Amino acid sequence: MLLGEAPGKTEDATGLPFIGSSGRLLDFILKEVVPFFGLVTNTVCCRPADNEQYNREPTPPEINLCRDHITELIDHYQIQGIVYLGKIAQSYDTRLPKVNLMHPAFILRMEYKYYTIQKQRELLNNFIKELTTPKLSSNRKANNGLHQKTKSIQ
């Protein structure tokens, strides 16, 4: 699951997350990553704006209003891990595995975008591989090690 901050003006008008310039950068970042199938949403469902012109950070009460909705999505889709996009998204705490990435809108304002994008891809790739790699129990790891030693002797 990718969890962003809040819808911008374009996203609020269409009801779809990450379809503006931030969404295009997010698509570009995801394009080079291991296959990713997941849900993309925001910590708040409605656009927080001052005077309907400028986006602003959602307030803690606004985030809390949408908390149950996010929890329902996590339960319904059986989410295995969360990719937080930006500091506001990181305020939503779960017990699921997580990785913190920079929000695409923040990256767009940076001077060294290419290097940052590569680092974000690397973090995301490692996180997805970690989620999708089967875990062996400590007991099985010990037995597996013995089995490998036996095979190498033959």
Side-chain angles (χ1 to χ4, degrees):
M1 173 185 210
L2 291 169
L3 187 62
E5 182 176 298
K9 187 175 185 176
T10 307
E11 290 83 359
D12 199 41
T14 61
L16 299 171
F18 289 99
I19 60 168
S21 56
S22 293
R24 286 190 295 278
L25 178 56
L26 182 61
D27 289 344
F28 181 74
I29 292 170
L30 293 175
K31 183 172 77 170
E32 302 279 329
V33 175
V34 293
F36 176 80
F37 302 96
L39 179 67
V40 180
T41 191
N42 288 298
T43 53
V44 296
C45 303
C46 302
R47 177 179 176 232
D50 289 329
N51 301 326
E52 294 302 313
Q53 288 184 333
Y54 302 105
N55 293 341
R56 62 168 171 75
E57 290 184 357
T59 62
E62 290 170 331
I63 293 170
N64 285 333
L65 282 173
C66 296
R67 193 170 295 277
D68 289 343
H69 173 68
I70 301 299
T71 302
E72 287 173 13
L73 289 173
I74 290 170
D75 292 343
H76 178 76
Y77 290 102
Q78 300 175 359
I79 301 298
Q80 301 299 310
I82 298 182
V83 177
Y84 292 117
L85 299 171
K87 66 178 182 176
I88 299 298
Q90 293 171 23
S91 68
Y92 187 86
D93 190 33
T94 69
R95 295 182 189 269
L96 293 174
K98 60 189 170 218
V99 65
N100 300 324
L101 299 182
M102 293 178 185
H103 194 283
F106 181 74
I107 296 173
L108 286 171
R109 295 188 294 267
M110 295 179 73
E111 190 171 335
Y112 301 103
K113 292 176 186 65
Y114 181 76
Y115 175 77
T116 303
I117 289 169
Q118 290 305 108
K119 283 306 216 182
Q120 299 300 289
R121 281 182 179 154
E122 186 179 311
L123 284 168
L124 189 54
N125 242 337
N126 291 340
F127 179 67
I128 293 171
K129 285 178 184 174
E130 184 180 306
L131 283 178
T132 57
T133 302
K135 306 283 188 270
L136 296 175
S137 68
S138 58
N139 208 12
R140 177 139 167 114
K141 283 180 187 176
N143 290 339
N144 194 21
L146 289 174
H147 179 69
Q148 288 175 348
K149 287 178 184 175
T150 305
K151 281 179 70 177
S152 64
I153 293 172
Q154 297 173 347

